[in-house]
Amino acid sequence: MTALRWCFAAAAFLAPGPALAVCGVQLQGVSFGAIDVMRRQESTGSVRVSCDKPAAFLVEIGGGVSGGERRMHAAGGGSLRYELYADPANSHVWGDGQTVGSPVGGSSDGASPQTFTIYGVIPSQPGTLPGTYMDSPLVTLSF
C-alpha cells in the first residue's frame, strides 16, 4: 500500500502544469533632446507589454550604468542626474526594487497589449558641462 501511494505522489509531481505565457516588451526610450541645465526638464517614453496568454507581470527598470542614483554620462566625463517615474505627479520612482525605486505591476488578458508611460525628469543642475549625455538602464519583465 505504501508503494502505491508513492507512485501516485510522484506522478502528480511530474504531471505538466498549465502552459506559461510568452510575453514581449517594446520600449520607446526617454529622450530629453537639448537640455537647459538651468531649469527642470521633462520627457516621456513608454514600455509596451504583449502576452499570448493571460499573465500577471512586473516591469522593472534598473539604475543604469551608475547603479543607485540615476546619472547620464558624457564622453568628456561629465554626469547629469535624472529620474524615471511611473506617474505624471512624479511620486512613484520606477525602478527594479533593489538599487532604485520599485517595479510597476500589470497584467495581460492575452489579447491586448498594455502600455505604460515612463515619466523622465532632469532637475536643474547649474554648473553641468554641455555635451551629449546617455544612460542605458535595463528593462526587465518578470512574470
Side-chain angles (χ1 to χ4, degrees), residues 57-128:
F57 54 80
L58 290 175
V59 180
E60 304 171 3
I61 302 179
V65 175
S66 297
E69 181 182 49
R70 287 199 164 104
R71 289 191 167 274
M72 290 185 270
H73 299 277
S79 69
L80 190 63
R81 289 185 331 277
Y82 75 101
E83 195 53 78
L84 301 175
Y85 296 94
D87 64 315
N90 303 145
S91 60
H92 178 189
V93 176
W94 196 339
D96 59 9
Q98 296 175 24
T99 58
V100 63
S102 59
V104 171
S107 62
S108 170
D109 62 6
S112 303
Q114 189 170 3
T115 302
F116 301 88
T117 301
I118 305 167
Y119 299 90
V121 174
I122 298 175
S124 77
Q125 298 172 62
T128 302

Side-chain angles (χ1 to χ4, degrees), residues 11-88:
F13 181 71
L14 297 174
L20 297 177
V22 174
C23 297
V25 174
Q26 291 179 319
L27 179 66
Q28 178 187 343
V30 177
S31 177
F32 294 95
I35 298 167
D36 178 356
V37 297
M38 298 303 286
R39 64 181 189 87
R40 175 185 168 104
Q41 308 256 184
E42 297 182 8
S43 186
T44 61
S46 65
V47 176
R48 181 178 166 149
V49 179
S50 302
C51 298
D52 67 344
K53 296 183 184 342
F57 54 80
L58 290 175
V59 180
E60 304 171 3
I61 302 179
V65 175
S66 297
E69 181 182 49
R70 287 199 164 104
R71 289 191 167 274
M72 290 185 270
H73 299 277
S79 69
L80 190 63
R81 289 185 331 277
Y82 75 101
E83 195 53 78
L84 301 175
Y85 296 94
D87 64 315

